mmCIF file of all heavy atoms in Angstrom:
data_model
loop_
_atom_site.group_PDB
_atom_site.id
_atom_site.type_symbol
_atom_site.label_atom_id
_atom_site.label_comp_id
_atom_site.label_asym_id
_atom_site.label_seq_id
_atom_site.Cartn_x
_atom_site.Cartn_y
_atom_site.Cartn_z
ATOM 1 N N VAL A 52 -89.745 80.235 -50.282
ATOM 2 C CA VAL A 52 -90.853 79.424 -50.808
ATOM 3 C C VAL A 52 -92.119 79.798 -50.061
ATOM 4 O O VAL A 52 -92.075 80.351 -48.957
ATOM 5 C CB VAL A 52 -90.575 77.910 -50.657
ATOM 6 C CG1 VAL A 52 -89.344 77.509 -51.467
ATOM 7 C CG2 VAL A 52 -90.393 77.536 -49.192
ATOM 8 N N ASP A 53 -93.252 79.468 -50.663
ATOM 9 C CA ASP A 53 -94.534 79.849 -50.073
ATOM 10 C C ASP A 53 -95.042 78.835 -49.066
ATOM 11 O O ASP A 53 -95.584 79.203 -48.027
ATOM 12 C CB ASP A 53 -95.577 80.039 -51.181
ATOM 13 C CG ASP A 53 -96.887 80.560 -50.621
ATOM 14 O OD1 ASP A 53 -96.866 81.631 -49.979
ATOM 15 O OD2 ASP A 53 -97.926 79.899 -50.807
ATOM 16 N N MET A 54 -94.867 77.537 -49.366
ATOM 17 C CA MET A 54 -95.435 76.486 -48.524
ATOM 18 C C MET A 54 -94.343 75.634 -47.889
ATOM 19 O O MET A 54 -93.254 75.474 -48.450
ATOM 20 C CB MET A 54 -96.357 75.590 -49.351
ATOM 21 C CG MET A 54 -97.489 76.334 -50.042
ATOM 22 S SD MET A 54 -98.617 77.150 -48.888
ATOM 23 C CE MET A 54 -99.369 75.723 -48.080
ATOM 24 N N ALA A 55 -94.672 75.048 -46.733
ATOM 25 C CA ALA A 55 -93.698 74.236 -46.004
ATOM 26 C C ALA A 55 -93.202 73.061 -46.823
ATOM 27 O O ALA A 55 -92.030 72.693 -46.765
ATOM 28 C CB ALA A 55 -94.306 73.749 -44.692
ATOM 29 N N GLY A 56 -94.082 72.453 -47.617
ATOM 30 C CA GLY A 56 -93.675 71.310 -48.420
ATOM 31 C C GLY A 56 -92.596 71.645 -49.427
ATOM 32 O O GLY A 56 -91.818 70.772 -49.824
ATOM 33 N N GLU A 57 -92.518 72.916 -49.846
ATOM 34 C CA GLU A 57 -91.502 73.325 -50.809
ATOM 35 C C GLU A 57 -90.126 73.461 -50.171
ATOM 36 O O GLU A 57 -89.111 73.455 -50.870
ATOM 37 C CB GLU A 57 -91.914 74.645 -51.451
ATOM 38 C CG GLU A 57 -93.204 74.572 -52.236
ATOM 39 C CD GLU A 57 -93.651 75.937 -52.709
ATOM 40 O OE1 GLU A 57 -94.371 76.631 -51.966
ATOM 41 O OE2 GLU A 57 -93.272 76.317 -53.844
ATOM 42 N N LEU A 58 -90.082 73.598 -48.864
ATOM 43 C CA LEU A 58 -88.792 73.618 -48.171
ATOM 44 C C LEU A 58 -88.137 72.239 -48.203
ATOM 45 O O LEU A 58 -86.915 72.119 -48.123
ATOM 46 C CB LEU A 58 -88.980 74.021 -46.701
ATOM 47 C CG LEU A 58 -89.349 75.475 -46.398
ATOM 48 C CD1 LEU A 58 -89.818 75.586 -44.951
ATOM 49 C CD2 LEU A 58 -88.159 76.390 -46.644
ATOM 50 N N GLU A 59 -88.966 71.230 -48.356
ATOM 51 C CA GLU A 59 -88.528 69.862 -48.121
ATOM 52 C C GLU A 59 -87.713 69.257 -49.259
ATOM 53 O O GLU A 59 -86.972 68.298 -49.048
ATOM 54 C CB GLU A 59 -89.764 69.005 -47.869
ATOM 55 C CG GLU A 59 -89.491 67.710 -47.200
ATOM 56 C CD GLU A 59 -90.746 67.168 -46.567
ATOM 57 O OE1 GLU A 59 -91.696 66.843 -47.288
ATOM 58 O OE2 GLU A 59 -90.780 67.077 -45.331
ATOM 59 N N GLY A 60 -87.828 69.780 -50.471
ATOM 60 C CA GLY A 60 -87.122 69.149 -51.569
ATOM 61 C C GLY A 60 -87.798 67.853 -51.970
ATOM 62 O O GLY A 60 -89.004 67.683 -51.832
ATOM 63 N N ARG A 61 -87.021 66.886 -52.451
ATOM 64 C CA ARG A 61 -87.591 65.644 -52.961
ATOM 65 C C ARG A 61 -87.728 64.597 -51.859
ATOM 66 O O ARG A 61 -86.828 64.422 -51.048
ATOM 67 C CB ARG A 61 -86.735 65.094 -54.092
ATOM 68 C CG ARG A 61 -86.775 65.940 -55.362
ATOM 69 C CD ARG A 61 -86.083 65.245 -56.508
ATOM 70 N NE ARG A 61 -84.672 64.987 -56.204
ATOM 71 C CZ ARG A 61 -84.078 63.814 -56.379
ATOM 72 N NH1 ARG A 61 -84.770 62.774 -56.821
ATOM 73 N NH2 ARG A 61 -82.794 63.662 -56.110
ATOM 74 N N VAL A 62 -88.871 63.945 -51.857
ATOM 75 C CA VAL A 62 -89.130 62.838 -50.941
ATOM 76 C C VAL A 62 -89.562 61.647 -51.785
ATOM 77 O O VAL A 62 -90.474 61.752 -52.596
ATOM 78 C CB VAL A 62 -90.234 63.186 -49.922
ATOM 79 C CG1 VAL A 62 -90.501 62.007 -49.005
ATOM 80 C CG2 VAL A 62 -89.840 64.410 -49.119
ATOM 81 N N ILE A 63 -88.874 60.518 -51.622
ATOM 82 C CA ILE A 63 -89.181 59.328 -52.410
ATOM 83 C C ILE A 63 -89.597 58.182 -51.493
ATOM 84 O O ILE A 63 -89.241 58.156 -50.312
ATOM 85 C CB ILE A 63 -87.981 58.896 -53.280
ATOM 86 C CG1 ILE A 63 -86.792 58.517 -52.389
ATOM 87 C CG2 ILE A 63 -87.600 59.991 -54.259
ATOM 88 C CD1 ILE A 63 -85.614 57.943 -53.166
ATOM 89 N N ALA A 64 -90.377 57.265 -52.039
ATOM 90 C CA ALA A 64 -90.758 56.073 -51.289
ATOM 91 C C ALA A 64 -89.615 55.071 -51.337
ATOM 92 O O ALA A 64 -89.010 54.843 -52.385
ATOM 93 C CB ALA A 64 -92.020 55.460 -51.882
ATOM 94 N N GLY A 65 -89.279 54.511 -50.201
ATOM 95 C CA GLY A 65 -88.177 53.561 -50.162
ATOM 96 C C GLY A 65 -88.324 52.581 -49.024
ATOM 97 O O GLY A 65 -89.388 52.483 -48.405
ATOM 98 N N GLU A 66 -87.270 51.851 -48.763
ATOM 99 C CA GLU A 66 -87.251 50.880 -47.680
ATOM 100 C C GLU A 66 -86.005 51.092 -46.826
ATOM 101 O O GLU A 66 -84.959 51.524 -47.333
ATOM 102 C CB GLU A 66 -87.255 49.452 -48.220
ATOM 103 C CG GLU A 66 -88.549 49.060 -48.927
ATOM 104 C CD GLU A 66 -88.536 47.612 -49.376
ATOM 105 O OE1 GLU A 66 -87.450 46.994 -49.331
ATOM 106 O OE2 GLU A 66 -89.606 47.097 -49.747
ATOM 107 N N ILE A 67 -86.140 50.802 -45.548
ATOM 108 C CA ILE A 67 -85.024 50.936 -44.615
ATOM 109 C C ILE A 67 -84.795 49.581 -43.954
ATOM 110 O O ILE A 67 -85.738 48.882 -43.582
ATOM 111 C CB ILE A 67 -85.326 51.999 -43.545
ATOM 112 C CG1 ILE A 67 -85.408 53.394 -44.195
ATOM 113 C CG2 ILE A 67 -84.259 52.007 -42.462
ATOM 114 C CD1 ILE A 67 -85.746 54.495 -43.223
ATOM 115 N N GLU A 68 -83.527 49.205 -43.846
ATOM 116 C CA GLU A 68 -83.158 47.972 -43.168
ATOM 117 C C GLU A 68 -82.506 48.302 -41.830
ATOM 118 O O GLU A 68 -81.627 49.167 -41.758
ATOM 119 C CB GLU A 68 -82.180 47.152 -44.016
ATOM 120 C CG GLU A 68 -82.767 46.614 -45.317
ATOM 121 C CD GLU A 68 -81.775 45.758 -46.070
ATOM 122 O OE1 GLU A 68 -80.603 45.691 -45.628
ATOM 123 O OE2 GLU A 68 -82.157 45.161 -47.089
ATOM 124 N N VAL A 69 -82.957 47.642 -40.785
ATOM 125 C CA VAL A 69 -82.376 47.849 -39.456
ATOM 126 C C VAL A 69 -82.173 46.500 -38.788
ATOM 127 O O VAL A 69 -82.874 45.523 -39.084
ATOM 128 C CB VAL A 69 -83.280 48.735 -38.572
ATOM 129 C CG1 VAL A 69 -83.380 50.134 -39.134
ATOM 130 C CG2 VAL A 69 -84.650 48.113 -38.410
ATOM 131 N N ASP A 70 -81.214 46.433 -37.880
ATOM 132 C CA ASP A 70 -80.993 45.210 -37.110
ATOM 133 C C ASP A 70 -82.173 44.963 -36.179
ATOM 134 O O ASP A 70 -82.789 45.901 -35.661
ATOM 135 C CB ASP A 70 -79.715 45.334 -36.273
ATOM 136 C CG ASP A 70 -78.477 45.392 -37.159
ATOM 137 O OD1 ASP A 70 -78.538 44.860 -38.279
ATOM 138 O OD2 ASP A 70 -77.472 45.999 -36.732
ATOM 139 N N ASP A 71 -82.492 43.685 -35.968
ATOM 140 C CA ASP A 71 -83.615 43.365 -35.098
ATOM 141 C C ASP A 71 -83.260 43.447 -33.619
ATOM 142 O O ASP A 71 -84.104 43.257 -32.750
ATOM 143 C CB ASP A 71 -84.172 41.979 -35.422
ATOM 144 C CG ASP A 71 -83.162 40.874 -35.169
ATOM 145 O OD1 ASP A 71 -82.049 41.174 -34.669
ATOM 146 O OD2 ASP A 71 -83.477 39.719 -35.475
ATOM 147 N N GLU A 72 -81.988 43.745 -33.308
ATOM 148 C CA GLU A 72 -81.498 43.934 -31.937
ATOM 149 C C GLU A 72 -81.582 42.654 -31.101
ATOM 150 O O GLU A 72 -81.394 42.688 -29.900
ATOM 151 C CB GLU A 72 -82.257 45.069 -31.225
ATOM 152 C CG GLU A 72 -82.087 46.420 -31.899
ATOM 153 C CD GLU A 72 -82.792 47.527 -31.144
ATOM 154 O OE1 GLU A 72 -83.425 47.208 -30.112
ATOM 155 O OE2 GLU A 72 -82.719 48.684 -31.574
ATOM 156 N N VAL A 73 -81.900 41.538 -31.743
ATOM 157 C CA VAL A 73 -81.942 40.260 -31.019
ATOM 158 C C VAL A 73 -80.941 39.295 -31.633
ATOM 159 O O VAL A 73 -80.036 38.805 -30.972
ATOM 160 C CB VAL A 73 -83.358 39.650 -31.038
ATOM 161 C CG1 VAL A 73 -83.351 38.291 -30.331
ATOM 162 C CG2 VAL A 73 -84.351 40.598 -30.362
ATOM 163 N N GLY A 74 -81.089 39.045 -32.910
ATOM 164 C CA GLY A 74 -80.164 38.160 -33.613
ATOM 165 C C GLY A 74 -79.410 38.941 -34.672
ATOM 166 O O GLY A 74 -79.167 40.136 -34.540
ATOM 167 N N ASP A 75 -79.054 38.236 -35.721
ATOM 168 C CA ASP A 75 -78.324 38.868 -36.822
ATOM 169 C C ASP A 75 -79.239 39.241 -37.979
ATOM 170 O O ASP A 75 -78.772 39.678 -39.029
ATOM 171 C CB ASP A 75 -77.225 37.926 -37.332
ATOM 172 C CG ASP A 75 -76.168 37.665 -36.263
ATOM 173 O OD1 ASP A 75 -75.944 38.594 -35.463
ATOM 174 O OD2 ASP A 75 -75.615 36.554 -36.240
ATOM 175 N N ASP A 76 -80.533 39.060 -37.811
ATOM 176 C CA ASP A 76 -81.466 39.356 -38.885
ATOM 177 C C ASP A 76 -81.702 40.861 -39.013
ATOM 178 O O ASP A 76 -81.503 41.627 -38.069
ATOM 179 C CB ASP A 76 -82.803 38.654 -38.641
ATOM 180 C CG ASP A 76 -82.662 37.140 -38.646
ATOM 181 O OD1 ASP A 76 -81.751 36.652 -39.345
ATOM 182 O OD2 ASP A 76 -83.444 36.467 -37.945
ATOM 183 N N GLU A 77 -82.141 41.256 -40.191
ATOM 184 C CA GLU A 77 -82.487 42.644 -40.435
ATOM 185 C C GLU A 77 -83.963 42.754 -40.778
ATOM 186 O O GLU A 77 -84.549 41.840 -41.357
ATOM 187 C CB GLU A 77 -81.649 43.228 -41.582
ATOM 188 C CG GLU A 77 -80.172 43.381 -41.220
ATOM 189 C CD GLU A 77 -79.391 44.070 -42.320
ATOM 190 O OE1 GLU A 77 -79.862 44.023 -43.473
ATOM 191 O OE2 GLU A 77 -78.347 44.667 -42.026
ATOM 192 N N ILE A 78 -84.543 43.854 -40.375
ATOM 193 C CA ILE A 78 -85.957 44.120 -40.625
ATOM 194 C C ILE A 78 -86.069 45.188 -41.703
ATOM 195 O O ILE A 78 -85.375 46.204 -41.656
ATOM 196 C CB ILE A 78 -86.666 44.598 -39.343
ATOM 197 C CG1 ILE A 78 -86.511 43.563 -38.221
ATOM 198 C CG2 ILE A 78 -88.134 44.893 -39.604
ATOM 199 C CD1 ILE A 78 -86.997 44.044 -36.888
ATOM 200 N N GLU A 79 -86.920 44.952 -42.679
ATOM 201 C CA GLU A 79 -87.167 45.930 -43.723
ATOM 202 C C GLU A 79 -88.571 46.516 -43.555
ATOM 203 O O GLU A 79 -89.501 45.797 -43.249
ATOM 204 C CB GLU A 79 -87.067 45.284 -45.118
ATOM 205 C CG GLU A 79 -85.668 44.833 -45.501
ATOM 206 C CD GLU A 79 -85.617 44.347 -46.939
ATOM 207 O OE1 GLU A 79 -86.666 44.436 -47.613
ATOM 208 O OE2 GLU A 79 -84.558 43.901 -47.369
ATOM 209 N N PHE A 80 -88.680 47.843 -43.706
ATOM 210 C CA PHE A 80 -90.006 48.455 -43.721
ATOM 211 C C PHE A 80 -89.999 49.672 -44.632
ATOM 212 O O PHE A 80 -88.958 50.291 -44.874
ATOM 213 C CB PHE A 80 -90.476 48.819 -42.309
ATOM 214 C CG PHE A 80 -89.621 49.837 -41.594
ATOM 215 C CD1 PHE A 80 -89.912 51.196 -41.679
ATOM 216 C CD2 PHE A 80 -88.534 49.445 -40.828
ATOM 217 C CE1 PHE A 80 -89.140 52.129 -41.019
ATOM 218 C CE2 PHE A 80 -87.756 50.370 -40.157
ATOM 219 C CZ PHE A 80 -88.066 51.723 -40.247
ATOM 220 N N ALA A 81 -91.183 49.988 -45.161
ATOM 221 C CA ALA A 81 -91.315 51.103 -46.090
ATOM 222 C C ALA A 81 -91.216 52.424 -45.334
ATOM 223 O O ALA A 81 -91.647 52.548 -44.183
ATOM 224 C CB ALA A 81 -92.651 51.013 -46.818
ATOM 225 N N ALA A 82 -90.634 53.411 -45.996
ATOM 226 C CA ALA A 82 -90.482 54.729 -45.386
ATOM 227 C C ALA A 82 -90.299 55.779 -46.468
ATOM 228 O O ALA A 82 -89.763 55.489 -47.543
ATOM 229 C CB ALA A 82 -89.284 54.741 -44.435
ATOM 230 N N ASP A 83 -90.780 56.996 -46.190
ATOM 231 C CA ASP A 83 -90.474 58.127 -47.057
ATOM 232 C C ASP A 83 -89.055 58.590 -46.754
ATOM 233 O O ASP A 83 -88.696 58.811 -45.591
ATOM 234 C CB ASP A 83 -91.457 59.277 -46.815
ATOM 235 C CG ASP A 83 -92.848 58.958 -47.334
ATOM 236 O OD1 ASP A 83 -92.948 58.104 -48.234
ATOM 237 O OD2 ASP A 83 -93.812 59.566 -46.850
ATOM 238 N N ILE A 84 -88.261 58.725 -47.797
ATOM 239 C CA ILE A 84 -86.856 59.090 -47.628
ATOM 240 C C ILE A 84 -86.625 60.480 -48.225
ATOM 241 O O ILE A 84 -86.978 60.737 -49.381
ATOM 242 C CB ILE A 84 -85.935 58.065 -48.304
ATOM 243 C CG1 ILE A 84 -86.158 56.680 -47.695
ATOM 244 C CG2 ILE A 84 -84.471 58.480 -48.162
ATOM 245 C CD1 ILE A 84 -85.392 55.582 -48.393
ATOM 246 N N HIS A 85 -86.056 61.366 -47.436
ATOM 247 C CA HIS A 85 -85.752 62.716 -47.895
ATOM 248 C C HIS A 85 -84.390 62.690 -48.591
ATOM 249 O O HIS A 85 -83.380 62.347 -47.981
ATOM 250 C CB HIS A 85 -85.718 63.680 -46.710
ATOM 251 C CG HIS A 85 -87.043 63.857 -46.043
ATOM 252 N ND1 HIS A 85 -87.576 65.075 -45.733
ATOM 253 C CD2 HIS A 85 -87.973 62.947 -45.655
ATOM 254 C CE1 HIS A 85 -88.757 64.929 -45.166
ATOM 255 N NE2 HIS A 85 -89.013 63.633 -45.096
ATOM 256 N N VAL A 86 -84.386 63.086 -49.867
ATOM 257 C CA VAL A 86 -83.158 62.958 -50.654
ATOM 258 C C VAL A 86 -82.555 64.311 -51.023
ATOM 259 O O VAL A 86 -81.679 64.400 -51.876
ATOM 260 C CB VAL A 86 -83.413 62.125 -51.937
ATOM 261 C CG1 VAL A 86 -83.749 60.698 -51.578
ATOM 262 C CG2 VAL A 86 -84.518 62.739 -52.787
ATOM 263 N N GLY A 87 -83.005 65.375 -50.380
ATOM 264 C CA GLY A 87 -82.355 66.663 -50.584
ATOM 265 C C GLY A 87 -82.993 67.519 -51.661
ATOM 266 O O GLY A 87 -84.166 67.375 -51.984
ATOM 267 N N ASP A 88 -82.187 68.425 -52.208
ATOM 268 C CA ASP A 88 -82.625 69.407 -53.201
ATOM 269 C C ASP A 88 -83.599 70.417 -52.599
ATOM 270 O O ASP A 88 -84.319 71.104 -53.329
ATOM 271 C CB ASP A 88 -83.273 68.746 -54.425
ATOM 272 C CG ASP A 88 -82.297 67.850 -55.174
ATOM 273 O OD1 ASP A 88 -81.085 68.129 -55.099
ATOM 274 O OD2 ASP A 88 -82.745 66.895 -55.807
ATOM 275 N N GLY A 89 -83.638 70.518 -51.301
ATOM 276 C CA GLY A 89 -84.503 71.488 -50.641
ATOM 277 C C GLY A 89 -83.706 72.291 -49.638
ATOM 278 O O GLY A 89 -82.515 72.540 -49.821
ATOM 279 N N ALA A 90 -84.368 72.702 -48.571
ATOM 280 C CA ALA A 90 -83.715 73.535 -47.560
ATOM 281 C C ALA A 90 -83.148 72.726 -46.399
ATOM 282 O O ALA A 90 -82.681 73.311 -45.420
ATOM 283 C CB ALA A 90 -84.705 74.563 -47.028
ATOM 284 N N GLU A 91 -83.188 71.387 -46.503
ATOM 285 C CA GLU A 91 -82.636 70.574 -45.420
ATOM 286 C C GLU A 91 -81.197 70.979 -45.126
ATOM 287 O O GLU A 91 -80.392 71.181 -46.033
ATOM 288 C CB GLU A 91 -82.684 69.085 -45.764
ATOM 289 C CG GLU A 91 -84.075 68.475 -45.722
ATOM 290 C CD GLU A 91 -84.735 68.462 -47.085
ATOM 291 O OE1 GLU A 91 -84.295 69.251 -47.949
ATOM 292 O OE2 GLU A 91 -85.680 67.686 -47.284
ATOM 293 N N ASP A 92 -80.889 71.125 -43.852
ATOM 294 C CA ASP A 92 -79.546 71.480 -43.387
ATOM 295 C C ASP A 92 -79.171 72.918 -43.738
ATOM 296 O O ASP A 92 -77.998 73.285 -43.714
ATOM 297 C CB ASP A 92 -78.492 70.509 -43.941
ATOM 298 C CG ASP A 92 -77.258 70.441 -43.042
ATOM 299 O OD1 ASP A 92 -77.424 70.495 -41.806
ATOM 300 O OD2 ASP A 92 -76.139 70.349 -43.570
ATOM 301 N N SER A 93 -80.173 73.742 -44.069
ATOM 302 C CA SER A 93 -79.917 75.156 -44.373
ATOM 303 C C SER A 93 -80.521 76.029 -43.281
ATOM 304 O O SER A 93 -81.580 75.730 -42.732
ATOM 305 C CB SER A 93 -80.548 75.539 -45.718
ATOM 306 O OG SER A 93 -79.974 74.815 -46.771
ATOM 307 N N TYR A 94 -79.830 77.138 -42.991
ATOM 308 C CA TYR A 94 -80.351 78.105 -42.039
ATOM 309 C C TYR A 94 -81.264 79.091 -42.758
ATOM 310 O O TYR A 94 -80.893 79.660 -43.781
ATOM 311 C CB TYR A 94 -79.215 78.866 -41.358
ATOM 312 C CG TYR A 94 -78.486 78.063 -40.309
ATOM 313 C CD1 TYR A 94 -77.237 77.500 -40.576
ATOM 314 C CD2 TYR A 94 -79.045 77.864 -39.049
ATOM 315 C CE1 TYR A 94 -76.571 76.770 -39.614
ATOM 316 C CE2 TYR A 94 -78.376 77.127 -38.078
ATOM 317 C CZ TYR A 94 -77.144 76.582 -38.365
ATOM 318 O OH TYR A 94 -76.486 75.853 -37.416
ATOM 319 N N CYS A 95 -82.454 79.285 -42.216
ATOM 320 C CA CYS A 95 -83.414 80.244 -42.768
ATOM 321 C C CYS A 95 -83.703 81.317 -41.725
ATOM 322 O O CYS A 95 -83.900 81.003 -40.544
ATOM 323 C CB CYS A 95 -84.718 79.550 -43.147
ATOM 324 S SG CYS A 95 -84.583 78.380 -44.524
ATOM 325 N N PRO A 96 -83.742 82.580 -42.132
ATOM 326 C CA PRO A 96 -84.152 83.627 -41.197
ATOM 327 C C PRO A 96 -85.655 83.580 -40.976
ATOM 328 O O PRO A 96 -86.415 83.150 -41.854
ATOM 329 C CB PRO A 96 -83.733 84.919 -41.921
ATOM 330 C CG PRO A 96 -83.787 84.562 -43.381
ATOM 331 C CD PRO A 96 -83.397 83.104 -43.468
ATOM 332 N N GLY A 97 -86.075 84.000 -39.811
ATOM 333 C CA GLY A 97 -87.494 83.998 -39.510
ATOM 334 C C GLY A 97 -87.754 84.588 -38.149
ATOM 335 O O GLY A 97 -86.965 85.383 -37.630
ATOM 336 N N TRP A 98 -88.865 84.163 -37.554
ATOM 337 C CA TRP A 98 -89.282 84.707 -36.264
ATOM 338 C C TRP A 98 -89.743 83.587 -35.333
ATOM 339 O O TRP A 98 -90.460 82.677 -35.736
ATOM 340 C CB TRP A 98 -90.433 85.694 -36.463
ATOM 341 C CG TRP A 98 -89.988 86.952 -37.149
ATOM 342 C CD1 TRP A 98 -89.737 87.123 -38.480
ATOM 343 C CD2 TRP A 98 -89.710 88.200 -36.525
ATOM 344 N NE1 TRP A 98 -89.316 88.397 -38.723
ATOM 345 C CE2 TRP A 98 -89.297 89.091 -37.541
ATOM 346 C CE3 TRP A 98 -89.779 88.666 -35.202
ATOM 347 C CZ2 TRP A 98 -88.956 90.417 -37.277
ATOM 348 C CZ3 TRP A 98 -89.433 89.988 -34.938
ATOM 349 C CH2 TRP A 98 -89.033 90.845 -35.971
ATOM 350 N N PHE A 99 -89.304 83.664 -34.080
ATOM 351 C CA PHE A 99 -89.837 82.807 -33.024
ATOM 352 C C PHE A 99 -91.122 83.444 -32.526
ATOM 353 O O PHE A 99 -91.162 84.641 -32.229
ATOM 354 C CB PHE A 99 -88.842 82.683 -31.870
ATOM 355 C CG PHE A 99 -87.613 81.892 -32.198
ATOM 356 C CD1 PHE A 99 -86.442 82.533 -32.585
ATOM 357 C CD2 PHE A 99 -87.615 80.508 -32.121
ATOM 358 C CE1 PHE A 99 -85.297 81.808 -32.890
ATOM 359 C CE2 PHE A 99 -86.479 79.768 -32.420
ATOM 360 C CZ PHE A 99 -85.319 80.419 -32.808
#
């Protein structure tokens, strides 16, 4: 691919729930979620 964003595949807007680490409540917040269809978890040749 030509640009870095094309390596990324699809990114969707979503929400993530996490424990508040104090009680039993969960915290929700918006986040971009990477859902694949790109080069994630793939080895690419290149140069350091």
Side-chain angles (χ1 to χ4, degrees):
V52 298
D53 185 57
M54 303 298 293
E57 298 173 272
L58 289 166
E59 198 160 65
R61 291 189 300 131
V62 179
I63 62 174
E66 293 183 348
I67 294 178
E68 294 183 354
V69 295
D70 293 334
D71 63 4
E72 298 183 359
V73 177
D75 296 328
D76 297 331
E77 291 185 337
I78 303 171
E79 292 186 3
F80 62 92
D83 289 337
I84 300 174
H85 294 228
V86 294
D88 297 332
E91 287 95 340
D92 205 37
S93 297
Y94 285 103
C95 293
W98 290 78
F99 290 97

